[in-house]
Amino acid sequence: MKLIEQVAARYQQKFNRQPQFIVRAPGRVNLLGEHVDYNAGLVLPAAIDRATYIACSPAPAPHSTLWAVDYNQMATFSAQSVSAKTQADATPLPEWAFYPAGILWTLLQENLSAPAMNAVFASDVPRGAGLSSSASVELSFMLAWQTLGGWSVPPMQLALLAQKAENRYVGVNCGIMDQFAAACGVEHKALLLDCRSLEWKELALPPDVSIVVADTTIRRKLADSEYNDRRQSCEEAVRFLQKSLPHIHTLRDVRVEDFNRLSDQLPVKTERRARHVVEEIERMNQVEALLAAGDIQTFGQLMNQCQRSLRDLYAVSCPELDALVEIAQTLKGCYGARLTGAGFGGCTVNLVAAAQAEAFALTLAQKYQTQTNLQPEVYITHAARGAEVKWKSE
Ligand code: GLA
């Protein structure tokens, strides 16, 4: 059964009636521009055809009751209980409920109407896999409350509100990329976002190129604290560099030449991390022209360079990601392969000639399994639409 049918059927079962509407919001891959969104750089994500679906109706105030199909658990909270991160009965919220509760908390802060709801939700975005399952849950609840509340703000604004929920309520200091992609995704297009101006463009990928996602199946427990630690290193690098370059605000403002000239003033670990960011931002400056020219070969090489930099400088890869990428890069039809998202396990993204994509996926899975004894999930995906209401009752 499709996810949309599953949430509808479960809703009927749990609440004894039809839902009023069903929303969906997708996960994403990032093709290039990794760990630069919180340094005000450019990124190139695409929403994917995996998503969170919520079947939803208004409920009597004040309590929202949410069923998480994937956990087979329920949580009940209200505007009163949400800031203490507790349920209506004062027990702590389960971790999965932090995302919807964080959205409610943010909407209340912004004085946007967020009426109580009954909801059932499920997702086929794998969790902790670098495909932004959290942003997809956040944006789907954002859209559900927007629909119930009867207000309307532009998708980028929804993304910023969801980012605030993740930063301040969930406690992960993420940038804007994931929430942006989940909110603003466009079918068959990658999105080139300038994380400083928040302007973006749709960029077409050549029709004969497929996006293949491969999951190492590795999940790292400490990923959130490692992520926040990288972000602090970037801020530290800016403070050091400001002594010589007083005009800079973020690593986006630092040219590679200036960085090379001043890099010995930085502590070694900080220097390596900042170098990844400065060079990745430089790579991103080439992307628009390359894709306009259909030069997927050179674009793929930038992906491969990015992987080396994430492994050797930013230190967010792991042996299994390295193995999956190295195998991919030897296979026929592969233009470029690298880890996608924050790293520390999770998925790789591969650009592959469409005619070879099926064979590529099969061989990659086989070789990775032989080498690591792990069974990866490998699938061909395509750029999909962002958050949307999928169905409404008459
Ligand atoms: C996570 C964050 C994003 C971004 C990526 C790394 O997905 O949520 O904001 O920083 O890592 O590029």
Side-chain angles (χ1 to χ4, degrees), residues 72-188:
N72 202 20
Q73 269 183 18
M74 193 187 79
T76 298
F77 55 78
S78 68
Q80 283 73 43
S81 74
V82 80
S83 51
K85 296 192 173 155
T86 56
Q87 303 206 54
D89 63 2
T91 57
L93 280 177
E95 222 170 284
W96 60 261
F98 278 28
Y99 300 97
I103 298 300
L104 175 59
W105 178 84
T106 307
L107 294 176
L108 293 170
Q109 285 216 330
E110 302 287 323
N111 282 321
L112 286 163
S113 160
M117 66 165 78
N118 287 331
V120 169
F121 77 103
S123 180
D124 60 4
V125 186
R127 277 187 297 277
L131 300 178
S132 298
S133 59
S134 18
S136 101
V137 172
E138 288 159 3
L139 263 300
S140 56
F141 275 97
M142 189 64 89
L143 198 65
W145 265 307
Q146 173 174 262
T147 310
L148 283 178
W151 42 271
S152 166
V153 302
M156 177 55 102
Q157 202 58 36
L158 295 182
L160 287 165
L161 291 172
Q163 184 199 12
K164 182 173 166 191
E166 175 118 15
N167 290 168
R168 306 252 195 99
Y169 192 88
V170 182
V172 179
N173 214 1
C174 65
I176 187 61
M177 172 168 74
D178 304 347
Q179 288 76 12
F180 158 75
C184 302
V186 178
E187 191 132 37
H188 303 306

Side-chain angles (χ1 to χ4, degrees), residues 14-278:
K14 298 289 177 200
F15 297 107
N16 266 323
R17 49 183 285 214
Q18 250 201 350
Q20 197 175 77
F21 60 90
I22 298 178
V23 295
R24 77 169 260 291
R28 62 104 191 87
V29 286
N30 185 26
L31 298 175
L32 202 64
E34 211 66 90
H35 287 284
V36 300
D37 61 347
Y38 51 86
N39 292 292
L42 302 177
V43 293
L44 188 67
I48 56 174
D49 58 354
R50 297 212 167 191
T52 302
Y53 284 82
I54 311 179
C56 186
S57 298
H63 291 122
S64 289
T65 300
L66 313 185
W67 262 102
V69 175
D70 303 331
Y71 299 86
N72 202 20
Q73 269 183 18
M74 193 187 79
T76 298
F77 55 78
S78 68
Q80 283 73 43
S81 74
V82 80
S83 51
K85 296 192 173 155
T86 56
Q87 303 206 54
D89 63 2
T91 57
L93 280 177
E95 222 170 284
W96 60 261
F98 278 28
Y99 300 97
I103 298 300
L104 175 59
W105 178 84
T106 307
L107 294 176
L108 293 170
Q109 285 216 330
E110 302 287 323
N111 282 321
L112 286 163
S113 160
M117 66 165 78
N118 287 331
V120 169
F121 77 103
S123 180
D124 60 4
V125 186
R127 277 187 297 277
L131 300 178
S132 298
S133 59
S134 18
S136 101
V137 172
E138 288 159 3
L139 263 300
S140 56
F141 275 97
M142 189 64 89
L143 198 65
W145 265 307
Q146 173 174 262
T147 310
L148 283 178
W151 42 271
S152 166
V153 302
M156 177 55 102
Q157 202 58 36
L158 295 182
L160 287 165
L161 291 172
Q163 184 199 12
K164 182 173 166 191
E166 175 118 15
N167 290 168
R168 306 252 195 99
Y169 192 88
V170 182
V172 179
N173 214 1
C174 65
I176 187 61
M177 172 168 74
D178 304 347
Q179 288 76 12
F180 158 75
C184 302
V186 178
E187 191 132 37
H188 303 306
K189 297 281 165 60
L191 309 173
L192 182 64
L193 171 69
D194 181 327
C195 298
R196 169 171 283 163
S197 67
L198 297 185
E199 284 168 5
W200 78 91
K201 288 184 186 158
E202 299 171 13
L203 297 186
L205 294 171
D208 55 353
V209 172
S210 295
I211 303 172
V212 182
V213 172
D215 191 340
T216 58
T217 71
I218 298 293
R219 306 287 182 262
R220 287 277 181 274
K221 270 254 150 28
L222 288 174
D224 288 353
S225 59
E226 288 284 348
Y227 180 90
N228 288 344
D229 183 60
R230 297 299 181 287
R231 192 165 175 159
Q232 278 168 19
S233 290
C234 296
E235 285 159 14
E236 190 195 6
V238 170
R239 284 196 296 276
F240 269 104
L241 294 167
Q242 273 170 338
K243 292 179 198 150
S244 309
L245 305 169
H247 66 280
I248 67 166
H249 299 289
T250 66
L251 289 176
R252 166 83 179 267
D253 303 317
V254 182
R255 293 180 311 177
V256 174
E257 308 88 85
D258 289 332
F259 187 79
N260 287 339
R261 187 164 52 82
L262 299 167
S263 58
D264 58 359
Q265 297 178 8
L266 301 177
V268 176
K269 195 162 78 176
T270 311
E271 192 271 335
R272 282 203 197 117
R273 292 177 177 182
R275 178 176 294 285
H276 162 75
V277 173
V278 172

Side-chain angles (χ1 to χ4, degrees), residues 367-383:
K367 292 203 165 183
Y368 179 75
Q369 192 172 353
T370 312
Q371 197 167 319
T372 61
N373 260 328
L374 297 165
Q375 213 172 344
E377 199 194 349
V378 183
Y379 52 93
I380 302 171
T381 185
H382 67 265

